[in-house]
Amino acid sequence: MTIRPIILGGLAAILFSSSALAARMDLTIGMVLEPPGLDPTAEAAAAVDEVVYANVFEGLTRIGPEGAVKPALAKNWTISDDGLTYTFELREGAKFHDGTSFDASDVVFSLDRARAEDSTNAQKALFSAIEKVEATGDTTVVVTLSEPSGAFLYNMGWGDAVIVAPESADTNKENPVGTGPFKLDNWQRGSAITLTRNADYWGDQAKLDTVTFRFIPDPAAATAALLAGDVQAFPNLPAPEAIAQFEADPRFTVVIGSTEGETILSTNNKKPPFDDVNVRRAMAHAIDRQAIIDGAMFGLGTPIGTHFAPHNPAYVELSETYEFNPEKAKALLAEAGFEGGIKATLKLPPPSYARRGGEIIASQLRDVGIDLEIIPLEWGQWLEQVFKGKDFDLTIVSHTEPNDIDIYARDDYYFQYENPDFKALIDKLNVTADEEERFALYRQAQQIITDDAVNVYLFQLAKNGVWDAKLNGLWENSPVQANDVTGVSWSE
Amino acid sequence: MSEHVNNTETEGWRTFRKNALRNRNFLIGICLTGFVLAIALISFIWTPFDTTKLVISDRLNAPDLTHLLGTDHFGRDILSMVMVGARNSIAVALLAVGIGIAIGVPLGCWGAAKRGFIDEILMRSSDIIFAFPALLSAVMITAIFGPSATNAIIAIGIFNIPVFARVARGAALTIWSREYILAARASGKGAVRITREHILPNITNILVVQGTIQFSLGILAEAGLSYVGLGTQPPDVSWGRMLNEAQTMMAIAPHMAIIPGIAIIVTVLGLNLLGDGLRDLLDPRLRRER
Amino acid sequence: MAYFIVRRMMIVLLTLWVASIIIFAMLQIIPGDPAQLMLGINATDDAVAALREQLGLNAPLFERYINWMSGMLIGDFGYSYTYGTAVGNLIAERITVSLPLALIALALSTLIAIPVGIFTASRRGTATDTSAMAITQIGIAIPNFWFAILLVYVFAITLRLVPAGGFPGWETGLWPALKSLLLPAIALALPQAAILSRVTRSALLETMAEDYIRTARAKGLPARRVLWHHALRNAFIPVLTILGLQFAFLLAGTIIIENVFYLPGLGRLIFQSIQRLDLMVVQSVVVLLVASVIFINFLVDLAYAWADPRLRRQG
């Protein structure tokens, strides 16, 4: 009988010892998707950047929490009057995690590698304006552009443009070697990635010793993990249904920010009957955006009327262009010659905004005579059938790349919109450097695609950040896909 | 002759009924199964609310007098969904059992009749199918052909084939060794005719028992597949799907998860009890002793 | 016996080989391009083509099968497209979760079921027996994933006794790791325990009805003693068989449970790999699981043959 209390006491000691620490130096962040690899210059998956951006890898510039361009490995820069020559002054004393030093040759290597013919960089367009990259000293790099590019400094702040070392470039996928304040400690595949503080960092030391990214795709498991304290932060919780509960709980901070994700009912503009603008307008009138936001996203999300983020200064409020009006929708359909109704398919990728939103949209469109068959797809199948094969009528997807209205000018893009005027507009935009002019062009672009009702614009995806109330310094919005933990710390 | 047969049949039926009324498993099983079947049938003509109509403003209501079992996140009535879900779950499981019987029983009988090489091939093939954990293959099948109720039926059905093939073969083998079969063969009856006239009628009981068990496994399998999103797809309703949707809302609307779970348990329990009861009542071994 | 074993081994190898062809063939028709999936929707066609070449996706079908199989034979499971690491490493990493989970679940199920089986068998027909058997009937009918959801809700979210999911890794210590396997193991074990206790009970009752037991009873040995000393030993074969089958089931059947608790095990690896079209991983893990099922069945066969010499001749 005397043995039992001892065992119990021992168990209790093991149980509670970890929570008895005074100042926390560790953080576990929840993420939905696990990155396939950790090289942002070779992989497009947002999850890669969400682990390594700013934490492990740095570029010449970086994007701050508000979306502004800030210096990173480039201390400062000068731009020639014709806008073609950028001279970057580099940081001295920066080192890669493997101990090799960082200098101008690494920048030349990285940029040349990214824009090379055989490069597998997923965002080669970022580098398309570059004509040549030269090191004019150990800490000076001159980049010459073939034409002025208003977004060049911003582009250099993307995760795809980070600086890597020639020695480690090929193995970064598994063993990322960057210059950032954190380095890879351990990757438990399928579960978590742990970063530890890089004591040799050139700038301010990180305030945390270790940061673990834990991958929890399932909304229920994610909610449970936060509630149980297994993860202390979920920068974008995939369970909007749980937000109200966290808001009511004083242990948590809930920050509803905005993402760059325009969630749209993507429409195959070349496939009858959706090649008829009246049919597309009818759909826009038939859909009650607020019901979708309430029912699928539990009220989280901003209605949009065009392919542009509402927090962008150039945004035009067009969400009332096609007000919710089923009668008008029916009339438009009748006018287009579809009184008898339309049968079509709705292909849905896995995220809950698509699956839940799809059910509501199918129900709303059924009310005006458009009968949708729902076909759920895995991402692989979606890419193959919808994105590459263009074998679809309707789909729901969130376009999460920032400032991506130019996709409407792309030849052969999956929703197959073709409008020479719009293309001309984007061409003009690409060579315009003046901000005011650019904004004006952006506004025109938004108006055109809304008038053409290319897709049904549903809502801007919210960033449902939930974290421990004692955590400071996490980003509220996501101007780039990143979980920058360099400035994060625990209070007390 | 025919009168004589009729007499034994009625007598057999009478004994069956007498025993059945004393068999607790059978009674409880048939009541539960009958209840679920009745609900599924009623759902074809009437449900309290329309499950295809989403009323977002009524969402996540706890059970009350209007919605006896509450509403889900789209404002649909959960009682109505459980009723409609019953018929989907039953349809999937029943069709999967049908596939198993339609293909497995002839194969099993064939193997038992021919023995030798064909039998060996059939049994080895069923070994191979058995080596694939059922859920794993279902995941692969739905990954290839896309998730849908039809593919769930096929995936579950494929696993019923070797089950029925083996049961049919085993039972048929014991009958082939009986003397009256030898007599039938001696009188020039072919294998097909013997199987039809003598084997099949004698293995029906054991197939009914196995069918009940596979039916209940089918209900569980459908629920599992739909729960991971590979079975029934929206806007169709199934218990597994309801659980899938409910899981994230456990903290705000636990009724959404608890109710479909209970529906599954009641159905599976009913079928298992019915299967046990039928085995007691129909088991050929017991009958031989009598 | 030697002939029997050799013959069974040949069959095992043949089954494995056919299974490998089926798996390989099935995965070839999964729609989707892994290279496109890895690079995402804004990747250029050139980048996708370059990656396809790099991944060896352009080689002919037959060549890829031969490469895969010959690799497997020397323990090389190939290279994961998406994880950028050897599949063997991935499996080695994941099996440290799935195997202990299956073992704990099996142990739990045995620890619950055997005593329940013995207890109810020795009190056949009593109210305890009847109610225990009623409970096992309900246990069999409970879907384990539903039970898992309830467990998480009660023990992790409401009472906060154990983590709601995830796996901290064995390097964090035995207790934290075990703690996170506890709920999933219970969820897996309960329905299995219900089945196993029924099997134990009926196996015991069956042996109790055998002649030699009746003889022992007739000799005047007390019922309990006969149960413990004679019946139990002989009822063990069917129980072991079921245990063998359950282990195979548990190892593979963790797919759903691993997803509920987001455990980084083999089941979740398959799920993720199918979603990412990482065919090399799917192939290898499925073959591994199928092989382990075949192997366990083989062992069960051996146990049967050992117990019942008549079966050896039949093969």
Side-chain angles (χ1 to χ4, degrees):
Chain A
M1 275 317 270
T2 49
I3 302 172
R4 254 168 104 195
I6 298 173
I7 294 176
L8 282 179
L11 277 179
I14 298 168
L15 267 169
F16 300 118
S17 59
S18 60
S19 52
L21 292 170
R24 281 192 81 155
M25 297 298 283
D26 66 308
L27 170 63
T28 305
I29 294 182
M31 276 171 58
V32 173
L33 291 177
E34 178 173 18
L38 289 175
D39 183 355
T41 66
E43 290 148 311
V48 181
D49 285 10
E50 283 166 6
V51 172
V52 299
Y53 186 81
N55 303 327
V56 175
F57 286 107
E58 297 171 303
L60 288 174
T61 62
R62 56 171 291 186
I63 313 299
E66 311 307 329
V69 177
K70 291 176 161 185
L73 283 173
K75 256 193 309 203
N76 51 54
W77 49 82
T78 50
I79 309 170
S80 63
D81 291 341
D82 59 1
L84 287 177
T85 312
Y86 285 70
T87 309
F88 292 97
E89 196 66 36
L90 304 181
R91 209 61 78 169
E92 284 150 36
K95 274 199 174 82
F96 285 97
H97 298 150
D98 59 1
T100 55
S101 58
F102 159 80
D103 60 30
S105 65
D106 296 310
V107 177
V108 176
F109 168 78
S110 300
L111 297 185
D112 283 347
R113 174 171 168 267
R115 64 200 187 92
E117 192 74 12
D118 61 346
S119 155
T120 52
N121 194 304
Q123 299 288 345
K124 273 169 105 167
L126 294 178
F127 311 95
S128 59
I130 299 179
E131 193 172 274
K132 62 173 191 273
V133 185
E134 291 166 302
T136 53
D138 269 359
T139 57
T140 321
V141 170
V142 177
V143 178
T144 315
L145 305 186
S146 50
E147 55 187 3
S149 163
F152 182 67
L153 285 172
Y154 190 88
N155 287 351
M156 290 301 102
W158 278 54
D160 305 77
V162 297
I163 304 303
V164 297
E167 298 87 359
S168 47
D170 291 337
T171 53
N172 276 343
K173 222 173 161 181
E174 262 188 279
N175 181 25
V177 174
T179 55
F182 286 96
K183 55 188 176 187
L184 179 73
D185 177 53
N186 173 26
W187 184 356
Q188 204 189 347
R189 282 169 207 279
S191 170
I193 289 174
T194 307
L195 307 180
T196 54
R197 188 194 354 223
N198 169 18
D200 295 331
Y201 185 56
W202 56 265
D204 293 338
Q205 283 282 314
K207 297 182 185 107
L208 297 169
D209 283 340
T210 60
V211 177
T212 303
F213 292 90
R214 195 169 280 286
F215 309 109
I216 313 171
D218 183 61
T223 311
L226 263 175
L227 284 172
D230 300 344
V231 302
Q232 298 95 43
F234 230 111
N236 196 0
L237 187 71
E241 57 270 33
I243 293 296
Q245 186 191 353
F246 285 110
E247 274 174 336
D249 191 330
R251 293 171 301 158
F252 296 98
T253 302
V254 176
V255 177
I256 307 298
S258 184
T259 67
E260 295 291 332
E262 291 84 25
T263 311
I264 62 176
L265 176 69
S266 223
T267 309
N268 192 337
N269 276 250
K270 279 205 179 140
K271 189 152 179 196
F274 302 106
D275 54 347
D276 185 332
V277 68
N278 277 334
V279 172
R280 300 198 299 266
R281 285 180 181 152
M283 287 200 297
H285 278 299
I287 285 172
D288 179 359
R289 290 175 181 77
Q290 199 54 48
I292 295 169
I293 294 171
D294 288 344
M297 308 312 289
F298 293 76
L300 300 165
T302 316
I304 51 172
T306 184
H307 198 104
F308 224 72
H311 54 254
N312 193 303
Y315 176 72
V316 189
E317 174 56 50
L318 294 168
S319 63
E320 281 302 312
T321 310
Y322 305 104
E323 79 288 355
F324 173 56
N325 186 343
E327 290 315 312
K328 202 164 174 184
K330 281 184 204 161
L332 277 168
L333 282 176
E335 194 182 311
F338 294 101
E339 299 97 333
I342 291 174
K343 272 194 185 310
T345 59
L346 175 60
K347 294 192 169 173
L348 300 175
S352 66
Y353 66 73
R355 294 279 166 93
R356 282 195 198 132
E359 276 192 72
I360 301 174
I361 285 179
S363 158
Q364 291 176 350
L365 290 183
R366 195 165 44 233
D367 290 341
V368 300
I370 302 177
D371 207 4
L372 296 181
E373 184 199 348
I374 292 176
I375 302 175
L377 300 174
E378 291 299 336
W379 274 121
Q381 298 165 317
W382 187 87
L383 282 170
E384 186 82 2
Q385 296 176 23
V386 178
F387 192 74
K388 275 177 80 185
K390 299 164 192 96
D391 172 23
F392 75 109
D393 298 329
L394 300 169
T395 184
I396 298 176
V397 69
S398 199
H399 282 256
T400 54
E401 289 75 17
N403 265 339
D404 58 351
I405 198 169
D406 61 307
I407 55 179
Y408 289 75
R410 285 196 199 169
D411 289 323
D412 224 22
Y413 201 63
Y414 77 104
F415 43 70
Q416 310 207 77
Y417 173 59
E418 249 174 56
N419 182 342
D421 294 345
F422 188 84
K423 274 191 185 143
L425 189 76
I426 294 296
D427 286 343
K428 196 170 163 199
L429 184 76
N430 282 340
V431 293
T432 308
D434 180 73
E435 195 163 53
E436 273 312 309
E437 270 177 63
R438 287 178 67 87
F439 282 5
L441 290 168
Y442 270 134
R443 289 189 189 105
Q444 276 182 42
Q446 294 172 52
Q447 191 67 51
I448 294 178
I449 58 170
T450 301
D451 289 345
D452 282 346
V454 183
N455 299 308
V456 182
Y457 303 98
L458 303 172
F459 57 88
Q460 194 74 16
L461 208 58
K463 179 174 188 277
N464 306 321
V466 180
W467 50 79
D468 194 304
K470 293 201 285 289
L471 268 179
N472 310 311
L474 280 159
W475 285 18
E476 300 192 352
N477 291 308
S478 52
V480 285
Q481 291 148 340
N483 290 311
D484 180 351
V485 289
T486 55
V488 175
S489 65
W490 289 93
S491 10
E492 287 166 284
Chain B
M1 173 77 187
S2 67
E3 207 178 334
H4 174 71
V5 171
N6 267 344
N7 269 344
T8 44
E9 268 180 11
T10 6
E11 201 169 308
W13 175 239
R14 213 173 286 148
T15 348
F16 177 85
R17 208 169 51 188
K18 204 176 77 196
N19 289 330
L21 286 174
R22 279 197 310 232
N23 188 310
R24 193 169 40 194
N25 282 349
F26 179 81
L27 287 180
I28 302 177
I30 201 122
C31 286
L32 291 180
T33 312
F35 174 68
V36 176
L37 277 175
I39 279 181
L41 288 176
I42 292 172
S43 79
F44 279 102
I45 45 171
W46 176 81
T47 52
F49 289 85
D50 180 1
T51 55
T52 59
K53 194 93 193 143
L54 312 185
V55 188
I56 306 292
S57 52
D58 273 354
R59 65 184 205 269
L60 297 174
N61 283 348
D64 58 24
L65 283 176
T66 334
H67 299 281
L68 290 177
L69 298 179
T71 58
D72 76 347
H73 58 298
F74 289 149
R76 290 175 294 190
D77 178 56
I78 290 184
L79 176 60
S80 311
M81 290 178 77
V82 167
M83 291 174 72
V84 175
R87 80 181 182 224
N88 276 350
S89 297
I90 289 172
V92 169
L94 209 57
L95 286 169
V97 171
I99 292 178
I101 291 180
I103 303 178
V105 172
L107 285 178
C109 289
W110 191 35
K114 294 279 174 205
R115 307 297 314 264
F117 185 65
I118 287 172
D119 192 29
E120 184 74 21
I121 294 274
L122 284 173
M123 287 306 108
R124 292 291 81 82
S125 319
S126 76
D127 277 349
I128 293 173
I129 298 186
F130 273 132
F132 285 80
L135 186 69
L136 186 67
S137 325
V139 168
M140 280 173 56
I141 288 175
T142 45
I144 294 168
F145 300 106
S148 73
T150 320
N151 290 335
I153 293 170
I154 294 170
I156 304 168
I158 286 178
F159 287 89
N160 282 332
I161 295 174
V163 172
F164 283 104
R166 287 203 165 183
V167 168
R169 172 181 175 270
L173 277 181
T174 62
I175 294 173
W176 271 102
S177 63
R178 299 274 172 84
E179 271 152 30
Y180 65 90
I181 300 285
L182 283 177
R185 291 176 86 169
S187 69
K189 287 187 184 174
V192 176
R193 191 157 163 214
I194 292 180
T195 302
R196 202 178 56 223
E197 290 180 4
H198 300 285
I199 310 286
L200 277 179
N202 280 301
I203 64 172
T204 316
N205 286 346
I206 203 163
L207 290 178
V208 168
V209 173
Q210 193 64 42
T212 319
I213 295 167
Q214 294 309 117
F215 191 11
S216 93
L217 289 177
I219 298 268
L220 278 177
E222 192 278 338
L225 282 178
S226 298
Y227 169 72
V228 289
L230 298 174
T232 309
Q233 295 301 325
D236 290 341
V237 178
S238 98
W239 294 336
R241 269 202 60 74
M242 289 173 75
L243 280 178
N244 165 301
E245 285 160 356
Q247 200 189 350
T248 52
M249 292 165 223
M250 194 68 200
I252 42 175
H255 65 277
M256 277 179 68
I258 291 170
I259 291 161
I262 291 174
I264 295 171
I265 294 172
V266 166
T267 313
V268 174
L269 184 64
L271 285 166
N272 283 346
L273 289 174
L274 184 64
D276 281 2
L278 282 174
R279 188 167 45 216
D280 293 345
L281 296 170
L282 300 175
D283 195 314
R285 260 194 312 179
L286 298 177
R287 194 179 257 190
R288 249 188 330 233
E289 282 173 19
R290 226 176 275 136
Chain C
M1 189 73 183
Y3 170 73
F4 172 80
I5 294 179
V6 171
R7 192 185 134 79
R8 291 300 302 181
M9 289 270 274
M10 294 300 290
I11 292 175
V12 162
L13 288 178
L14 193 73
T15 317
L16 258 179
W17 178 63
V18 176
S20 80
I21 292 181
I22 295 177
I23 292 165
F24 185 82
M26 268 176 92
L27 289 171
Q28 297 315 310
I29 37 180
I30 286 190
D33 180 354
Q36 176 81 50
L37 189 61
M38 282 169 73
L39 289 174
I41 61 172
N42 282 350
T44 59
D45 288 348
D46 295 351
V48 174
L51 190 63
R52 275 189 70 84
E53 191 59 48
Q54 202 185 314
L55 296 175
L57 288 172
N58 293 332
L61 209 63
F62 180 68
E63 197 180 309
R64 272 186 291 153
Y65 176 74
I66 294 293
N67 286 342
W68 173 57
M69 272 316 274
S70 51
M72 290 270 264
L73 291 178
I74 54 164
D76 172 11
F77 290 84
Y79 193 79
S80 159
Y81 303 149
T82 52
Y83 286 104
T85 184
V87 177
N89 294 344
L90 279 175
I91 293 177
E93 216 171 75
R94 299 303 182 96
I95 210 158
T96 62
V97 178
S98 290
L99 194 63
L101 176 60
L103 285 173
I104 296 172
L106 195 70
L108 272 177
S109 139
T110 317
L111 284 178
I112 300 168
I114 305 282
V116 169
I118 295 173
F119 188 77
T120 48
S122 68
R123 281 169 181 71
R124 183 186 190 182
T126 62
T128 340
D129 176 36
T130 322
S131 40
M133 282 306 106
I135 292 172
T136 58
Q137 278 287 12
I138 296 173
I140 295 173
I142 292 179
N144 60 13
F145 57 91
W146 181 74
F147 189 52
I149 301 173
L150 291 193
L151 285 178
V152 170
Y153 184 64
V154 175
F155 292 101
I157 297 179
T158 314
L159 298 175
R160 295 172 172 249
L161 291 174
V162 281
F167 187 70
W170 291 104
E171 67 276 5
T172 57
L174 192 63
W175 176 240
L178 277 181
K179 212 166 65 164
S180 59
L181 292 182
L182 208 57
L183 284 192
I186 293 174
L188 274 172
L190 178 101
Q192 301 303 316
I195 295 171
L196 193 62
S197 46
R198 293 184 77 86
V199 170
T200 311
R201 176 178 176 273
S202 59
L204 270 174
L205 290 179
E206 222 158 89
T207 18
M208 294 286 273
E210 300 271 348
D211 289 344
Y212 67 96
I213 301 281
R214 288 186 193 164
T215 319
R217 291 290 300 277
K219 278 196 307 194
L221 287 172
R224 294 275 157 82
R225 207 185 133 87
V226 174
L227 175 84
W228 284 100
H229 284 254
H230 300 268
L232 210 52
R233 221 176 359 188
N234 289 290
F236 239 64
I237 296 290
V239 173
L240 268 182
T241 312
I242 295 289
L243 270 178
L245 290 175
Q246 288 197 337
F247 187 66
F249 169 83
L250 286 173
L251 198 57
T254 51
I255 296 180
I256 292 187
I257 291 295
E258 281 179 6
N259 274 289
V260 175
F261 292 93
Y262 64 99
L263 295 171
L266 287 176
R268 220 165 84 93
L269 180 64
I270 293 181
F271 234 91
Q272 289 176 323
S273 305
I274 287 184
Q275 282 165 355
R276 293 171 174 180
L277 294 180
D278 197 340
L279 304 188
M280 197 52 102
V281 177
V282 183
Q283 278 164 15
S284 304
V285 180
V286 174
V287 162
L288 190 78
L289 287 178
V290 168
S292 61
V293 172
I294 293 175
F295 183 68
I296 290 168
N297 285 346
F298 172 64
L299 290 184
V300 168
D301 277 355
L302 285 190
Y304 259 151
W306 172 75
D308 188 348
R310 276 170 306 173
L311 288 169
R312 286 176 214 165
R313 254 173 303 139
Q314 288 180 16

